[in-house]
Amino acid sequence: MKRSAGLLLFRTTDDGLEVLLGHMGGPFFARRDTGAWTVPKGEYKPDEPAWEAARREFREELGLPPPDGEAIDLGEVRQTNGKIVTAWAVRADVDPAAIVPGTFRMEWPPRSGELQEFPELDRVAWFGLDRARAVIVKAQAAFLERLAEHSA
């Protein structure tokens, strides 16, 4: 079973609570919005602590050091593909323009024999909770609810 861990950054503005989500890169998600946004996260091996993986993946996915500050354990969710995702929320404010995403390589177009490089996240943005719920990977919406409960 695959496992991923990530950090959900949040901030409070005049409009309320906002979270930083990343739009999944690559050709499969290029034209999608709903269900194509995610907590910045990545897979890890069983011998790596999830917290350490979340911080490592933040750096790899966004090209920024993971923020310091209190980490709120948001628990786990199981996505429809069976992957278990663990997340922590950390209060921080980053400029999406400062993001330098990591990349991955895949054969594209399919069966072409050509490898192309794509960003792990092709963009990141701050979302209010209502908008975030509308675009985030369905199972990860539970993280938003847990953060909202913690912040109430």
Side-chain angles (χ1 to χ4, degrees):
M1 177 181 325
K2 292 185 177 182
R3 299 184 75 83
S4 286
L7 299 180
L8 177 64
L9 268 53
F10 70 99
R11 67 184 184 185
T12 305
T13 69
D14 292 342
D15 295 326
L17 199 61
E18 293 184 340
V19 294
L20 186 74
L21 300 178
H23 186 270
M24 291 182 275
F28 298 120
F29 298 99
R31 292 188 179 94
R32 289 184 52 197
D33 195 46
T34 302
W37 292 83
T38 182
V39 171
K41 62 174 181 41
E43 291 183 13
Y44 65 98
K45 303 274 191 247
D47 61 339
E48 182 180 16
W51 170 246
E52 289 177 20
R55 293 178 57 79
R56 174 183 51 76
E57 286 293 335
F58 185 90
R59 182 182 302 276
E60 289 178 11
E61 296 260 326
L62 301 180
L64 299 173
D68 293 325
E70 177 190 356
I72 302 164
D73 186 347
L74 299 177
E76 297 181 341
V77 298
R78 180 186 299 270
Q79 297 184 161
T80 55
N81 62 5
K83 182 184 288 184
I84 303 293
V85 180
T86 305
W88 287 266
V90 178
R91 182 180 297 276
D93 194 359
V94 300
D95 179 359
I99 304 302
V100 180
T103 59
F104 68 96
R105 294 174 60 85
M106 67 178 280
E107 182 180 12
W108 191 259
R111 296 176 293 286
S112 67
E114 294 182 39
L115 285 179
Q116 292 193 41
E117 193 167 292
F118 298 97
E120 294 276 353
L121 300 173
D122 58 20
R123 60 192 182 275
V124 297
W126 288 101
F127 291 91
L129 289 183
D130 287 342
R131 180 72 180 131
R133 285 182 191 100
V135 298
I136 198 167
V137 172
K138 189 174 184 176
Q140 293 179 26
F143 295 141
L144 304 177
E145 300 312 317
R146 294 169 191 166
L147 175 61
E149 288 170 11
H150 183 274
S151 301

